[in-house]
Amino acid sequence: MTTVLVDAENVRRSRWPNLTREELVERCRDWAASERLAVLVVFDGPPPEEASDLVAGVPSADGWLTAHAAEYTPYWLVTSDRELRRRAGAQAERIVGGGAFLALVANT
């Protein structure tokens, strides 16, 4: 199953007004379930709750995604961060910008 790796802070701040951390998690889960995809939402620091689909990026979400993205092949990378796309997106099946992803999850 494809895993969608979400750079949480980057995505939730891609549009105004910014989503809360909890809103982002809820939208990601609903969307992933409807699309039959796995989702992993990676935060800078602790996530809003403990759950298997939420990750505390240590030392940062970018660092965690760079180190671990390839472990989830096949995967999509969701971020607007160009440097992170370069570092963690080389093996991604698809790269989606933060604003584009928010548009996807808003329709669920």
Side-chain angles (χ1 to χ4, degrees), residues 9-85:
E9 297 305 316
N10 179 276
V11 171
R12 71 181 202 87
R13 294 181 178 151
S14 292
R15 293 212 173 150
W16 184 257
N18 297 156
L19 292 179
T20 66
R21 294 157 49 98
E22 294 79 9
E23 288 171 327
L24 177 64
V25 168
E26 181 179 346
R27 288 185 185 189
C28 287
R29 286 173 173 162
D30 290 348
W31 174 81
S34 72
E35 297 294 319
R36 294 188 170 95
L37 296 166
V39 68
L40 196 62
V41 185
V42 184
F43 288 87
D44 290 319
E49 64 182 80
E50 287 204 26
S52 61
D53 58 351
L54 306 179
V55 173
V58 177
S60 66
D62 290 5
W64 191 94
L65 286 161
T66 299
H68 298 283
E71 297 169 17
Y72 292 90
T73 303
Y75 70 95
W76 294 5
L77 178 63
V78 180
T79 187
S80 295
D81 182 325
R82 289 183 183 168
E83 178 60 18
L84 180 57
R85 287 175 174 210

